Amino acid sequence: MKQFLISLTCILLFFEFSNAQQTIQAVRIETPPTIDGYVNEKVWDEAFAVDEFYQREPFEGEPVSKKTIFLVCYDANNIYIAVKCWDNPKKITAREMARDVSLGKDERVQIILDTYLDQRNGYWFQIGPRGSIGDALISGNGAVFNKQWDGLWTGKAKINDWGWEAEMAIPFKTMGFDKESTQWGIKFIRHIVNNLESSYWPVANLNTYKFQVSDGGILDGIEDITQ
């Protein structure tokens, strides 16, 4: 009986851990990065790094096939996000440069910010290897996707000899949020065209909307920001 109770406790703890929202720390910086597409400034060494990505497709739950790192930090006016996507530069598919065009056939990364932490609504941002940026509003926990919305923000990207990298600066004034809350929801996505692959942090599955808000992680510690 004792052994049974121990095993049951272990199983319950496993499921509790698996279902818990993952949390990253909001790192406040003093000197903002220059948004030029090169993730080479020392300020990025201070940012919180996220590198544990898992496929939603084609191999659900498997680790991302190419090394991927997202970096996050903020100051009083902006949230800054950088990404480093390792790949063979000769195999990177990247044709588009214009804003708000479809990047369905290009490599790309996407960020979802649930600024009210209501797990229903969010802001979606996208950038490709040649600097094409796009944005949208998400509602209905990912069921509704409104690309008519245009936010005021900056993004640059560069292809290099090990893959591609990008930097983004999103002003707080372009989004609504709860001034009393220090936590936002956050999700990162990388699409690798040659592998027909979509990988997420936190892990996502095929039974959810591809831009579902409620299974995002937590960005904790955002304080003293302007709106």
Side-chain angles (χ1 to χ4, degrees), residues 10-25:
C10 291
I11 291 171
L12 291 174
L13 287 173
F14 171 79
F15 279 107
E16 182 179 351
F17 176 78
S18 299
N19 293 324
Q21 282 187 291
Q22 296 188 55
T23 300
I24 63 176
Q25 188 62 39

Side-chain angles (χ1 to χ4, degrees), residues 195-215:
N195 293 356
L196 299 176
E197 179 181 331
S198 297
S199 293
Y200 286 63
W201 181 94
V203 64
N205 63 69
L206 289 173
N207 294 323
T208 61
Y209 293 112
K210 63 180 180 179
F211 299 136
Q212 186 150 318
V213 179
S214 61
D215 59 357

Side-chain angles (χ1 to χ4, degrees), residues 32-36 44 73 75 77-82 111 113 125 127 133 151-156 166-172 174-175:
T34 300
I35 305 301
D36 57 8
W44 290 118
C73 55
D75 60 18
N77 301 307
N78 303 279
I79 183 169
Y80 302 98
I81 299 171
I111 297 96
L113 297 176
F125 301 92
I127 190 167
I133 64 173
L152 299 174
W153 61 284
T154 303
K156 302 288 184 181
E167 296 176 302
M168 306 162 67
I170 304 170
F172 295 122
T174 204
M175 300 178 289

Side-chain angles (χ1 to χ4, degrees), residues 11-13 15-17 33 46 51-52 55-56 60 62 65 79 84 88 100 104 119 125 136-137 143 191-192 214 218:
I11 291 171
L12 291 174
L13 287 173
F15 279 107
E16 182 179 351
F17 176 78
E46 304 174 36
D51 61 3
E52 294 184 356
Q55 296 180 43
R56 182 176 182 267
E60 184 177 354
E62 291 294 313
S65 64
I79 183 169
K84 303 179 82 170
N88 181 341
D100 276 333
Q119 298 190 324
F125 301 92
L137 296 177
H191 298 280
I192 304 173
S214 61
I218 298 292

Side-chain angles (χ1 to χ4, degrees), residues 149-205:
W149 179 77
D150 285 322
L152 299 174
W153 61 284
T154 303
K156 302 288 184 181
K158 301 291 181 183
I159 298 174
N160 50 46
D161 58 1
W162 51 263
W164 67 281
E165 55 190 340
E167 296 176 302
M168 306 162 67
I170 304 170
F172 295 122
K173 67 182 180 181
T174 204
M175 300 178 289
F177 57 88
D178 181 359
K179 292 182 179 180
E180 302 302 318
S181 176
T182 60
Q183 293 187 331
W184 289 7
I186 192 166
K187 177 182 282 191
F188 301 121
I189 307 168
R190 180 184 179 185
H191 298 280
I192 304 173
V193 174
N194 287 314
N195 293 356
L196 299 176
E197 179 181 331
S198 297
S199 293
Y200 286 63
W201 181 94
V203 64
N205 63 69

